[in-house]
Amino acid sequence: FWYMLSGMCCDSIQLAIDVCLFHAFNITDPSACWILGFGSSIIFRHSFHRYLVFGAYVGGYCKSLTRMYAGYSIIMVISTIFNIVMTKVFLFSHYTAWIATLLWTGIVNYFILKHIWSFGGSSGDKDKRKEGGSSVNVELSERNRES
């Protein structure tokens, strides 16, 4: 549930970036909009996933963000190729191809993130989230205990 909520928020941000690129900057190639929007949205995804899904950063913010960009890099390339095929070969419209590309990347990204988020260590919040809450709830309950 929390990954889907986080993903929907981040997908909305990616869509807003895509629309801005298309209309404000006149970037009309759907695949260019896709990769630029996806790449730009990763910093938001990183924060949303930290607070709603995976918990504390392992190794600090910069290392975690770098791992996330590295993990997403292969999906950025593959999804852009997929988007090109959808728009150039199958002639899907810009936003129909955007949705088609988004649907499968969300599922693949979950498994990539699950692996890389704790790379090199483990988050103390993981086991607590399995018991029924997001990292936000875990952090709030820990703060209340400390007070």
Side-chain angles (χ1 to χ4, degrees):
F1 170 78
W2 291 106
Y3 179 76
M4 289 178 10
L5 178 64
S6 178
M8 285 189 313
C9 292
C10 297
D11 295 342
S12 298
I13 291 169
Q14 181 180 344
L15 178 60
I17 293 168
D18 191 291
V19 169
C20 180
L21 290 168
F22 186 76
H23 292 290
F25 294 99
N26 202 30
I27 298 176
T28 57
D29 180 51
S31 301
C33 287
W34 170 263
I35 195 165
L36 292 171
F38 190 13
S40 300
S41 73
I42 290 174
I43 197 161
F44 297 101
R45 291 177 187 281
H46 187 248
S47 293
F48 273 81
H49 291 334
R50 183 262 192 259
Y51 287 107
L52 294 176
V53 185
F54 297 110
Y57 305 123
V58 174
Y61 177 80
C62 290
K63 284 186 179 180
S64 178
L65 183 61
T66 301
R67 278 195 311 271
M68 191 159 178
Y69 268 101
Y72 270 152
S73 63
I74 187 70
I75 289 299
M76 288 175 64
V77 171
I78 294 169
S79 66
T80 302
I81 292 168
F82 178 84
N83 193 277
I84 289 168
V85 170
M86 292 294 102
T87 57
K88 306 287 190 242
V89 176
F90 294 110
L91 304 176
F92 281 31
S93 71
H94 183 132
Y95 291 105
T96 301
W98 189 92
I99 291 168
T101 307
L102 178 77
L103 291 175
W104 70 267
T105 57
I107 296 165
V108 173
N109 287 339
Y110 172 77
F111 293 104
I112 289 172
L113 290 178
K114 189 174 176 182
H115 175 72
I116 67 169
W117 199 267
S118 63
F119 185 78
S122 66
S123 168
D125 290 345
K126 258 188 197 175
D127 295 330
K128 293 176 185 170
R129 275 194 318 282
K130 286 180 186 173
E131 295 171 8
S134 73
S135 61
V136 173
N137 294 336
V138 170
E139 286 176 19
L140 290 174
S141 65
E142 287 176 355
R143 285 184 197 150
N144 289 338
R145 256 188 278 140
E146 292 172 0
S147 325

